[in-house]
Amino acid sequence: APGEWTQWNGVLGLAGLPDGAYGYARIRRTGGTGAFTAYGVVNDAQTSDGSFLPAFRPGGLSAARTVVVPVVLDVYGDARSHYTTEVTLVNDGALATPVDLVYRPAAGFGEAGGVPVVTVDLAARQQVTIPDVLEFLRSRGMQIPGGSSGPQAGTLTATFRYLGGIDAPSTVVLARTTTPDPDAAGGSFGLFYPAVARGGGARTSALVPGLAQDDGVRSNLAVVNVGGGSELPITLEARLYDADTGAAAGAPLTVSLSPGDWFQWS
């Protein structure tokens, strides 16, 4: 009924898929006239850390043929942390297609040489998950230094090559950046985030709410030029505001980005 919620736990097991399997769900309305939404979660069995998987509607920007993953990482940090990024490519269409992957390292976050493009072949209705995408790109000929030699971070562009003129299939790219649990129990901590359609980002302004900082947490703010339009550099200004008063705080932060560039204020 309107406003109601239900959940299937261990949903891949309900479908009879074995441990170690990956999958996806297609949900359609079979009765009534109301709208609905859906989501999935990936819960780490060791740490209980959960990641939110958004639903994607066919068509529109969710079916963009070129998308930009905002950031992929191979970074060592404090407390024995090691951040790497898993990438999932989805071709929910009736045609097979190659997917061309291009990595663009951010300024000050490593470099990339060797082959400029790595291609993954996707069959119709196929989903492929790459557990550590920078290591995968290295194995296919991209010369990206390891994270132990310095932090590696940048954007990943994915182009579904054969589907440029087709509107029906849904093509999705998701990323999950995690770090292993430093305790002996194992597992990991991290989060999922979707790729953005090339040219599909904000055009004039955007709001990032919920920033916080105290002894227990800190907030980073990142921006990406996802291209489109003139394909020339853009300049962005970030203004920070006090949540209690709405008053501007500090001086504006500015950065210039070429298409595909990523920058973060830590």
Side-chain angles (χ1 to χ4, degrees):
E4 282 192 332
W5 170 92
T6 189
Q7 174 173 288
W8 294 282
N9 295 317
V11 68
L12 293 185
L14 294 179
L17 292 172
D19 283 351
Y22 292 88
Y24 63 92
R26 184 181 296 112
I27 302 151
R28 65 188 182 94
R29 191 184 64 201
T30 59
T33 59
F36 69 93
T37 190
Y39 66 90
V41 293
V42 173
N43 290 321
D44 191 295
Q46 301 297 320
T47 64
S48 296
D49 181 70
S51 284
F52 179 88
L53 303 176
F56 290 85
R57 297 170 59 191
L61 291 179
S62 70
R65 303 302 170 245
T66 298
V67 297
V68 179
V69 179
V71 67
V72 294
L73 304 173
D74 182 359
V75 174
Y76 286 84
D78 296 335
R80 293 179 290 159
S81 60
H82 180 203
Y83 295 94
T84 58
T85 303
E86 170 189 287
V87 168
T88 297
L89 311 170
V90 183
N91 173 25
D92 187 24
L95 298 176
T97 181
V99 183
D100 297 322
L101 303 178
V102 176
Y103 172 63
R104 183 182 179 93
F109 282 86
E111 56 189 16
V115 300
V117 179
V118 169
T119 299
V120 177
D121 291 321
L122 280 187
R125 309 293 187 193
Q126 187 181 16
Q127 169 184 293
V128 169
T129 296
I130 303 169
D132 182 344
V133 71
L134 289 189
E135 184 58 34
F136 172 79
L137 296 178
R138 293 183 191 110
S139 72
R140 297 297 183 92
M142 280 195 186
Q143 296 172 359
I144 304 169
S148 58
S149 64
Q152 310 297 315
T155 60
L156 183 75
T157 299
T159 299
F160 293 77
R161 193 192 307 171
Y162 289 172
L163 305 181
I166 301 174
D167 292 331
S170 179
T171 51
V172 175
V173 178
L174 284 170
R176 183 175 185 239
T177 291
T178 61
T179 183
D181 181 2
D183 296 331
S188 63
F189 298 96
L191 74 158
F192 266 99
Y193 44 97
V196 180
R198 178 179 169 274
R203 295 306 179 110
T204 56
S205 65
L207 182 71
V208 179
L211 303 176
Q213 185 156 311
D214 57 27
D215 291 340
V217 299
R218 74 174 188 275
S219 291
N220 301 334
L221 179 66
V223 287
V224 180
N225 181 348
V226 295
S230 66
E231 295 298 330
L232 295 174
I234 60 174
T235 299
L236 299 176
E237 175 188 84
R239 286 184 172 270
L240 283 297
Y241 294 87
D242 186 302
D244 290 330
T245 67
L253 307 172
T254 61
V255 65
S256 293
L257 301 173
S258 295
D261 276 355
W262 170 91
F263 184 84
Q264 176 175 282
W265 293 283
S266 298

